[in-house]
Amino acid sequence: MASLLGRFCRKLVVPGSAHGSRMVSTTACDSEAVKSLNLHSAINQALHIALETDPRSYVFGEDVGFGGVFRCTTGLAERFGKNRVFNTPLCEQGIVGFGIGLAAMGNRAVVEIQFADYIYPAFDQVKRVFPTLEFDFSTAEFLIRGFNSQIVNEAAKFRYRSGNQFNCGGLTIRAPYGAVGHGGHYHSQSPEAFFCHVPGIKVVIPRSPREAKGLLLSSIRDPNPVVFFEPKWLYRPAVEEVPEHDYMIPLSQAEVIREGNDITLVGWGAQLTVMEQACLDAEKVLDFIFQLKDNWFKVSNMGLELIMQEGISCELIDLKTLLPWDKETVEASVKKTGRLLISHEAPVTGGFGAEISATILERCFLKVKSLRFNSSRRD
Amino acid sequence: MALSRLSSRSTTLLQPLATTSLLRRRHISTDTTPITVETSLPFTSHLISPPSRAVETSSQELLSFFRDMALMRRMEIAADSLYKAKLIRGFCHLYDGQEAVAIGMEAAITKRDAIITSYRDHCTFLGRGGGLFEAFSELMGRTTGCSKGKGGSMHFYKKDASFYGGHGIVGAQAPLGCGLAFAQKYSKEEAVTFTLYGDGAANQGQLFEALNIAALWDLPAVLVCENNHYGMGTAEWRSAKSPAYFKRGDYVPGLKVDGMDALAVKQACKFAKEHALKNGPIILEMDTYRYHGHSMSDPGSTYRTRDEISGVRQVRDPIDRVRKLIIAHDIATEKELKDMEKEVRKEVDAAVAQAKESPIPEPSELFSNIYVKGFGAESFGADRKELRATLP
């Protein structure tokens, strides 16, 4: 992974944006102003807009006051005041539960968990999630702290068990997730699969700055509790033109970032960067021709035939929302290509890829010629 | 700081025989004649009578304190340079400034008493008898490390010395520590568990759950809050309504100790061990300070002034305190202590050099020790067809 990061970090091509003509996007119209931003700045902008447009929204979590460990919350406390943007002590379960309560009173709370690895203590609370709360958990790892109690039992089931009297629709829990190269055991986890197993919440993962801003604003304004995982690897290196105005990208709609005919690739978050590179590699004329160039005169006939061969045409889909996920888009694509490759960072067994494969096989059984998993994590 | 003057009394006794300065001074490392020293500050207590301020020590002990703390300090500084040289990757949380807590605790307990701590564990490992070479190897991720290079900075362990690590998630070690104490009580081992956590972790719910259980079942658990006043970048007054962490146990007695005074720490730990064996849990709050930032990614100066750091270094530094004690009691000269520090430096440099030569673990180690040996579980790499191993 580290070598892969080294390859990408210097000049990160955000999936779908470099080959702009092929991008199917629901974002800004061309007349609006755009700015080149990286992921944390885009998220920061989204938070500024969210707080501006709804006076009853709050951002809190560990260290958010000074801007957060990843600079996602810079300027918020200065602009909106310490009553709306504030630090919490080191207690994820307490933070999420607190946010749930706040949301139950009809507020939007953006909660930050510092690392997704810390979300587990709040996990239980998530099931209890109350109305639109956006928690700003600095990292998805810390989110694991919140995992234990709050998210699953409190947040997710609140609306249901109160017979729609109360809800935590406005709760948004933000957490940096995923490998970053030096994170080790507890700053690299991808816990999205745990949350996908909980009916009542939504799980959203952006792949790039422009997506992140739109998706975050949608998540904040969505009347259901949302867990928003941000690929921490992309915070600084991923740069994209991001429209400056207020825009939202709809949830539960997957996007075909790259059209193709031979195989469908499905992924989300930072993994798409890797997958797009794989698509480019697959489409190129077969590499070994260049390796044979010294012996060109010997293999010229065979070589010519090989040059005639085309590469593999890949269709790349960004799921964006994992729960509830856009089955129709993936199904339509697999019906076209007949092959599916799912790639994600989290461990394979019990990972979200398993859910996708089961559903697609069920829906497209006769059309599927091959199905594979690929994970950057060992199982 | 009131210092006892026993040394001068014995000097006069020796005077008729003394011809060289060598005889007047106590022998460097083997003199165990008790010296009584008073702690710098009195103990503050909650629900219990504090122990006496007069601590019994000896030349041997003071010199070993000095040497061991100098070793720890030197190791942390070396780790700092190694991290900046990118030989240590990941995260690195340094303990310099807090050495007195590790050293004082070791002086009061045995290797049968268990210690469990957070990710700031390099010096605790050394205190438990861990070697410099093992420590540096682990930091650099080599197979010769104490966790075979698979744990890294935050996961040092030493089973034969009852050192249970080394935990990355803040506060997670608190309930574990109480579990260890339960096992000790159940097996009638007459040993206690010291569970260390920080002022940041003091706000974690699981700590209170652990405290309740420990008190309910009278477990021999000593919960030690290493209060270095900053939870990463957040000062204690900004994160805790009651920064009197020793009182947070409510029904559990507590003691506040000057964590920069190794002798006070020793006294408190000795007292706490006796209490825990008889009456159940007790909380010790060590008032200490870290010179470095939270980790190597934190410069440590954005949330506190450099004056504050240098102020503490000048007035409260644990090594300087012991140095002054040693000199005042004529146990060694300034020069001898400096020589000791030089020796320590050489030792650390040698360990670093040796660790740098050590091998990195084989890729197959990624798959070992996930399950118990012989389980027969299979593991796959990124591509199931390419890399497949039966978990050893």
Side-chain angles (χ1 to χ4, degrees), chain B residues 181-182 185 212-221 276-281:
Chain B
F182 181 88
K185 179 171 179 170
N212 180 51
I213 288 179
L216 191 62
W217 298 335
D218 291 320
L219 302 180
L277 281 172
K278 277 203 307 280
N279 311 349

Side-chain angles (χ1 to χ4, degrees), chain B residues 306-353:
Chain B
R306 287 191 205 277
D307 286 339
E308 181 188 302
I309 305 172
S310 50
V312 174
R313 216 188 259 271
Q314 271 160 30
V315 177
R316 297 180 68 203
D317 185 68
I319 301 180
D320 280 342
R321 171 165 292 152
V322 175
R323 190 200 309 263
K324 285 187 190 125
L325 261 178
I326 291 175
I327 293 171
H329 283 261
D330 251 353
I331 300 170
T333 60
E334 181 91 42
K335 183 177 179 307
E336 279 167 342
L337 292 178
K338 279 221 162 47
D339 287 342
M340 214 181 260
E341 281 180 308
K342 282 202 193 116
E343 232 180 84
V344 155
R345 194 176 183 144
K346 278 207 201 99
E347 211 179 303
V348 167
D349 289 342
V352 170

Side-chain angles (χ1 to χ4, degrees), chain B residues 298-311:
Chain B
D298 172 20
S301 50
T302 50
Y303 47 86
R304 53 185 187 173
T305 58
R306 287 191 205 277
D307 286 339
E308 181 188 302
I309 305 172
S310 50

Side-chain angles (χ1 to χ4, degrees), chain A residues 74-94:
Chain A
T74 41
L76 291 175
E78 286 86 350
R79 189 168 160 205
F80 299 100
K82 293 254 156 75
N83 287 331
R84 291 179 69 193
V85 180
F86 50 92
N87 289 336
T88 56
L90 214 170
C91 36
E92 286 73 16
Q93 186 172 13

Side-chain angles (χ1 to χ4, degrees), chain B residues 227-239:
Chain B
N227 182 8
N228 55 27
H229 307 285
Y230 295 95
M232 214 158 81
T234 306
E236 59 179 343
W237 60 270
R238 286 201 296 136
S239 69

Side-chain angles (χ1 to χ4, degrees), chain B residues 32-167:
Chain B
T32 50
T33 324
I35 305 174
T36 310
V37 176
E38 226 177 55
T39 63
S40 57
L41 293 171
F43 297 105
T44 325
S45 64
H46 170 71
L47 294 186
I48 199 171
S49 349
S52 143
R53 272 177 83 174
V55 187
E56 243 188 42
T57 180
S58 68
S59 318
Q60 179 191 27
E61 186 168 67
L62 285 174
L63 281 165
S64 76
F65 275 10
F66 181 82
R67 192 172 199 286
D68 292 339
M69 285 203 280
L71 194 73
M72 289 178 178
R73 179 69 60 92
R74 200 68 242 150
M75 175 181 77
E76 295 298 66
I77 294 175
D80 179 312
S81 323
L82 284 173
Y83 191 89
K84 287 178 178 147
K86 298 218 158 109
L87 281 163
I88 297 178
R89 310 305 305 279
F91 297 100
C92 192
H93 306 85
L94 300 177
Y95 201 72
D96 54 324
Q98 300 183 212
E99 298 93 351
V101 176
I103 286 294
M105 191 180 290
E106 287 301 330
I109 62 178
T110 69
K111 291 291 187 282
R112 284 178 49 245
D113 297 306
I115 296 187
I116 187 170
T117 183
S118 68
Y119 42 79
R120 212 177 290 280
D121 57 352
H122 307 163
C123 298
T124 319
F125 172 73
L126 235 59
R128 288 265 88 181
L132 277 174
F133 171 60
E134 285 173 304
F136 283 116
S137 300
E138 187 59 39
L139 285 173
M140 294 196 270
R142 311 295 168 106
T143 39
T144 43
C146 52
S147 305
K148 300 196 197 138
K150 303 209 272 193
S153 159
M154 294 196 273
H155 305 106
F156 279 27
Y157 298 88
K158 195 162 167 58
K159 187 165 181 190
D160 53 4
S162 312
F163 178 48
Y164 290 84
H167 295 267

